[in-house]
Amino acid sequence: MTPVELLQSKKLATRPVISLSEGSDPRIVAGALAAHDLGIADVILVGDTADIQAGLTDLNLELRPGVEIHDPKTSELTAGFSDAYHEMRKHKGVDADKARTAVETPLVYAAMLVREGHANGTLGGAVFTTSNVVRAAIQVIGVAPDAAMISSFFLMFPPSNATPHARAMLYSDGGLVIDPSSDELVSIAQQSAASAQALLRVDPKIAMLSFSTKGSAKHPAVTKVNQATEALRAARPDLAVEGELQFDAAFVPDIADRKAPGSDVAGHANVMIFPNLDAGNIAYKITQRLGGYAAIGPILQGVAKPANDLSRGCSAEDVTEMIAVTALQGLKS
């Protein structure tokens, strides 16, 4: 099931609340109201009230119960948020005036809604850059106590006419960590396994990907993946993991039988861990554009409470799916 379908199947007594830091963007408005109307979340559109109202009018949409507008410059919550932000950032030289200025920006205000318990998760990135979205999440919400780092992933869903061995998969990291060390690959893989269980409802089968399969090539880049594979097995013997694997050996059963015979993961992997951001980002876009897969993300993992980044090329439908993802992450935690 897609995140929207999975969330609808839960029939929650109380809807999660998701804050959207780009509340005047027409894609955000349309996607947020669609999520509300599908029954998966209540939403808070953050931004200038007049701009958001104008966007609603342009789309022939209206506010309804469960859809709120928060203008950080006029909100009754801003003063309290400013005090809290000042307290958490004063060790970085942020005085009261700077705290007020920061909280009046939509990204920080939307994250403060989550930190202070007014929302279950936040979503941005249709306009703001990934670096700004992630920075606000780290500074305001923070890294989860059990997470060594923050990373990202994409959910990949096959088209209806896909080949018989096609399946929903998780690709990580395709959006954030540029050149992870072997230790960072271990953290990314552990986080991704938990995300696959929560969002795909599958038992994770983890492929540590490379341009080599089981020693077919020698290179420091291959060594990094092998070291990560062994470290992951030692740290988490409960996880099904194989490496190093080329993508075809991880994905296609017949090729796996030839390249990695006897492996329970090869040919059946559903969590693909890429050795660097180049590989992960290129792979998800090829899978999406040539393979016809639906790509949802980038989705952040390792944040203390749900905060996610949209692609600046996102559609309203992408916004709706990411609202569902963010809501599901909140239920998981």
Side-chain angles (χ1 to χ4, degrees):
M1 291 187 285
T2 67
V4 166
E5 293 168 340
L6 182 56
L7 197 54
Q8 286 180 313
S9 73
K10 289 181 172 294
K11 303 185 185 305
L12 300 174
T14 303
R15 293 184 184 185
V17 178
I18 306 300
S19 64
L20 297 123
S21 56
E22 299 150 329
S24 60
D25 186 281
R27 297 165 296 172
I28 298 295
V29 174
L33 268 67
H36 173 269
D37 292 349
L38 287 168
I40 61 175
D42 288 344
V43 294
I44 300 173
L45 300 171
V46 178
D48 182 86
T49 299
D51 289 344
I52 296 173
Q53 290 283 13
L56 288 164
T57 300
D58 289 343
L59 293 170
N60 293 316
L61 296 172
E62 296 179 351
L63 288 179
R64 60 211 67 179
V67 179
E68 298 180 9
I69 295 174
H70 283 213
D71 188 333
K73 295 187 185 308
T74 60
S75 171
E76 62 183 18
L77 298 175
T78 297
F81 285 179
S82 298
D83 291 342
Y85 188 84
H86 175 225
E87 186 64 28
M88 79 173 83
R89 300 291 295 168
K90 63 184 180 182
H91 69 289
K92 293 290 188 179
V94 176
D95 61 21
D97 289 339
K98 289 179 180 177
R100 177 80 186 204
T101 299
V103 167
E104 287 183 356
T105 64
L107 264 178
V108 172
Y109 181 93
M112 287 297 298
L113 284 169
V114 178
R115 180 184 174 91
E116 298 298 311
H118 299 277
N120 302 98
T122 186
L123 182 60
V127 178
F128 297 118
T129 64
T130 293
S131 61
N132 286 331
V133 171
V134 175
R135 185 181 303 112
I138 293 173
Q139 290 182 350
V140 175
I141 300 173
V143 180
D146 59 347
M149 62 187 298
I150 291 175
S151 61
S152 77
F153 63 93
F154 286 84
L155 297 177
M156 309 298 297
F157 291 92
S160 57
N161 61 347
T163 57
H165 54 261
R167 54 194 173 272
M169 295 177 288
L170 186 151
Y171 281 17
S172 188
D173 187 326
L176 188 60
V177 185
I178 295 174
D179 188 19
S181 66
S182 59
D183 288 342
E184 288 173 331
L185 283 176
V186 173
S187 295
I188 290 169
Q190 291 186 81
Q191 291 176 343
S192 298
S195 294
Q197 290 172 319
L199 299 178
L200 292 178
R201 292 298 192 264
V202 297
D203 292 326
K205 293 181 180 293
I206 305 167
M208 307 296 287
L209 296 176
S210 174
F211 62 84
S212 170
T213 294
K214 309 301 288 182
S216 65
K218 303 295 183 184
H219 188 273
V222 178
T223 300
K224 179 180 80 169
V225 175
N226 280 329
Q227 289 174 341
T229 302
E230 293 309 312
L232 179 59
R233 285 174 173 155
R236 292 290 304 276
D238 57 307
L239 292 176
V241 57
E242 188 65 84
E244 86 280 13
L245 293 175
Q246 292 163 297
F247 187 89
D248 57 355
F251 186 68
V252 183
D254 290 347
I255 295 176
D257 289 342
R258 297 196 300 272
K259 290 188 173 184
S263 172
D264 293 332
V265 172
H268 305 282
N270 50 29
V271 177
M272 305 293 188
I273 305 300
F274 292 88
N276 56 46
L277 188 61
D278 281 335
N281 192 270
I282 292 167
Y284 104 77
K285 290 184 177 179
I286 289 175
T287 306
Q288 179 186 38
R289 301 304 178 184
L290 294 184
Y293 273 61
I296 300 175
I299 302 165
L300 300 181
Q301 50 190 5
V303 187
K305 294 181 180 181
N308 279 313
D309 178 36
L310 290 160
S311 166
R312 279 178 282 174
C314 68
S315 65
E317 291 77 13
D318 295 331
V319 173
T320 301
E321 286 287 1
M322 283 295 290
I323 288 172
V325 165
T326 308
L328 284 168
Q329 288 178 310
L331 296 178
K332 179 189 70 170
S333 62

